[in-house]
């Protein structure tokens, strides 16, 4: 049976990606105008990001591949670094976009913490036949 830390890791991870996509889709036209990218390019980038993060999350939580946590951490670094640009995003795109984007990153950070808690680490190290 999976520990609660792994369950909450999945919840936080999925919630962060849902919030991210909702923020991007709801501000798509402003995003396209500010960045100069087409809406299709913006959505493609967003969905590739979601696919990678959710895929790694499933490898960690369902396939119990512990070393995938380090790849997940590497994927999270640009998002966490992007928090520094949220004031600029608030000015260019809008406060709601920046607020929801910040919430998405905070949920992602929460998932990152949960995947390294002792209960998660012990569960990932146990025999997979359990």
């Amino acid at each position: 049976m999976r520990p609660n830390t792994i369950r909450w890791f999945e919840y936080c991870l999925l919630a962060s990606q849902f919030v991210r996509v909702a923020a991007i889709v709801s501000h798509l036209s402003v995003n396209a105008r500010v960045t100069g990218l087409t809406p299709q390019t913006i959505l493609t980038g967003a969905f590739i990001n979601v696919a990678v993060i959710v895929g790694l999350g499933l490898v960690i939580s369902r396939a119990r591949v512990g070393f995938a946590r380090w790849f997940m951490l590497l994927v999270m670094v640009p998002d966490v670094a992007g928090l520094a640009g949220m004031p600029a995003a608030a000015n260019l795109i809008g406060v709601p976009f920046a607020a929801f984007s910040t919430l998405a990153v905070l949920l992602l950070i929460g998932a990152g913490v949960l995947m390294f808690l002792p209960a998660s680490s012990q569960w990932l190290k146990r025999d997979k036949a359990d």
Side-chain angles (χ1 to χ4, degrees), residues 15-93:
S16 75
Q17 298 312 295
F18 176 77
V19 170
R20 174 193 309 271
V21 169
I24 290 171
V25 168
S26 64
H27 295 86
L28 190 57
S29 61
V30 178
N31 248 331
R33 189 174 64 247
V34 168
T35 61
L37 299 171
T38 66
Q40 293 82 5
T41 302
I42 293 169
L43 289 175
T44 300
F47 284 110
I48 288 172
N49 189 338
V50 169
V52 169
I53 288 178
V54 170
L56 276 172
L58 291 173
V59 168
I60 294 165
S61 67
R62 300 298 172 139
R64 293 174 71 173
V65 178
F67 69 86
R69 296 183 294 178
W70 298 102
F71 291 109
M72 177 69 83
L73 207 56
L74 289 175
V75 171
M76 290 178 176
V77 168
D79 288 332
V80 174
L83 285 175
M86 284 306 154
N91 287 333
L92 293 171
I93 300 171

Side-chain angles (χ1 to χ4, degrees), residues 80-118:
V80 174
L83 285 175
M86 284 306 154
N91 287 333
L92 293 171
I93 300 171
V95 173
F97 176 79
F100 283 109
S101 295
T102 301
L103 175 61
V105 174
L106 291 175
L107 285 166
L108 192 61
I109 291 170
V113 169
L114 287 165
M115 72 180 172
F116 282 100
L117 288 178

